Amino acid sequence: MATVALLNIGSELLRGRTINTNAAAMGKMLLGKGYHLNTTLVIHDDGPVIRQSLDDLLTGHDIVLITGGLGPTKDDITKTVLRERFGGEMVCHEPTLRRIEGYLARRGRRLLESNRQQAFVPSTCEVLENEQGTAPGMAFRENGRTVVSLPGVPYEMRHLMQHKVLPLLETRYSHQHVATRIVRTGGVPESRIAERMEEIEPKIDPRVSIAYLPSFDGTKIELRASGEPAEAAELDAALLQGQDLVAELFAKYVYSREDKTPDRVLAEYLLARGITMGTAESCTGGAIAAAMVQHSGVSAVLKGGIVAYMREIKENVLAVPAATIDEHGIVSRETARAMAEGARTLLGSDFAISITGIAEAAENAPKEDQPQAWIGYADAKGSTALHFRLFKGREVNIQIAKNAALIYSLRCLWASFGK
């Protein structure tokens, strides 16, 4: 089995100015094709350091993937180091030059020498054309080993990995069959999941590994199996059987049997049925609506959203009765339901979701003023609400509350409109 290393180049990654999302994305993409990432190294934009790091990684790996340092600025030196390392001379890759010229022309910009230099590559490399950007990828071979250099821009890297790098690796190296099944849950802690899993673990094929991955949108239960390609059908069947057992055990908490976020699951559900949605948000400040608009086509079902942060907006825009707030408080079941009902009426949607809560508490605040939220839901059949406590800092609490509202929306919709 081929061994793989990743070399991320960029001083900004080490100084905390840029988050290294490429490592996680590349590891996931490699694993999906049956390659296991053994080593990840992050280094500064420094020629000798790049050269030494590459030599060190090549002594123990069959494949080294490099990201970063291919832009038009002076600190982008990866290409120069690779030419020195693998020999040859710099030559102009005409298709890349034409793409750069067209890219700049469409934006009314002239071609600078720094832009032109991006089309030059070492003559010893195989050019991986980058349809998503200006800097091409480059692949080198040495004694059966492969080095691939990619731009550090995440969407360019992902495009090249999917369309160029992985197909290239599959022609050169054997790989395992790797399959994954997912069960996404909300409202049940990781510790409780692990405890209850003991009930079904003896029934799951021992070749299936199980991981619990908690995040702001619940706990993802990941079942994975890997083996020789000849075992593919058998392993897939074992995974499906394990997924069925997990989904049945946690049926009350499952919101997806795919690796999809709550907003994506909700968007797909609404689009498939033509159900329209409205939102009324206080403590989340529009985060629920913002999550929904990330998905294509959602304009057909998302009517709109109201950020009702202050009391007068709840009363004057959403028509929440002042008596309701006076008697029960702003953070209450009754106010959450009234907000959802008001949003549904105002926006003319099939249903509305609301949230009112406390994202951050003052030091030594009483229990009733500790971080918490009420989620309201309203459709033509009536309204309901859900309460939950929050235990993190302000930013995290907002994300947790947003996802809780999305998952609660799904459960209420399933009850009213069916799964």
Side-chain angles (χ1 to χ4, degrees), residues 349-365:
S349 56
D350 293 320
F351 85 98
I353 196 74
S354 71
I355 188 161
T356 176
I358 303 169
E360 182 179 42
E363 190 175 354
N364 301 318

Side-chain angles (χ1 to χ4, degrees), residues 17 65 101 126 180 210 215-216 223 260 312 328 361 383:
R17 293 201 299 264
L65 304 179
E101 290 172 337
E126 175 183 344
T180 302
I210 302 172
S215 64
F216 297 156
L223 297 90
K260 296 178 180 179
E312 54 261 40
H328 303 285
S383 62

Side-chain angles (χ1 to χ4, degrees), residues 277-281 288-289 302 304-307 318 343 347 351-354:
M277 171 187 185
T279 66
E281 302 183 56
I288 298 171
L302 180 61
I306 308 298
V307 177
L318 296 175
L347 299 169
F351 85 98
I353 196 74
S354 71

Side-chain angles (χ1 to χ4, degrees), residues 287-364:
I288 298 171
M292 293 298 295
V293 299
Q294 297 179 70
H295 305 286
S296 298
V298 80
S299 59
V301 292
L302 180 61
K303 288 272 191 168
I306 308 298
V307 177
Y309 204 64
M310 299 186 75
R311 172 173 176 155
E312 54 261 40
I313 305 302
K314 294 178 176 69
E315 294 180 8
N316 299 334
V317 177
L318 296 175
V320 177
T324 297
I325 297 177
D326 289 338
E327 182 178 353
H328 303 285
I330 286 179
V331 182
S332 65
R333 177 194 304 273
E334 291 76 12
T335 297
R337 290 176 62 179
M339 287 173 63
E341 292 164 359
R344 180 173 175 268
T345 300
L346 178 67
L347 299 169
S349 56
D350 293 320
F351 85 98
I353 196 74
S354 71
I355 188 161
T356 176
I358 303 169
E360 182 179 42
E363 190 175 354
N364 301 318

Side-chain angles (χ1 to χ4, degrees), residues 4 23-37 65 161 166 169 175-180 209 222 224-226:
V4 187
M26 294 174 81
K28 186 175 182 179
M29 295 176 80
L30 287 162
L31 188 59
K33 289 294 185 180
Y35 298 101
H36 295 272
L37 181 60
L65 304 179
M161 280 290 294
L166 292 174
L169 298 183
H175 55 91
Q176 288 185 312
H177 170 75
V178 176
T180 302
S209 63
E222 182 181 87
R224 184 183 300 275
S226 60

Side-chain angles (χ1 to χ4, degrees), residues 139-161:
F140 300 85
R141 295 214 70 177
E142 181 182 77
N143 300 325
R145 296 171 296 181
T146 298
V147 174
V148 179
S149 178
L150 302 173
V153 181
Y155 70 86
E156 294 183 29
M157 176 280 294
R158 289 193 297 269
H159 173 80
L160 284 166
M161 280 290 294

Side-chain angles (χ1 to χ4, degrees), residues 222-243:
E222 182 181 87
L223 297 90
R224 184 183 300 275
S226 60
E228 296 304 314
E231 301 177 273
E234 188 179 338
L235 291 173
D236 290 346
L239 275 174
L240 178 58
Q241 183 253 359
Q243 184 190 41

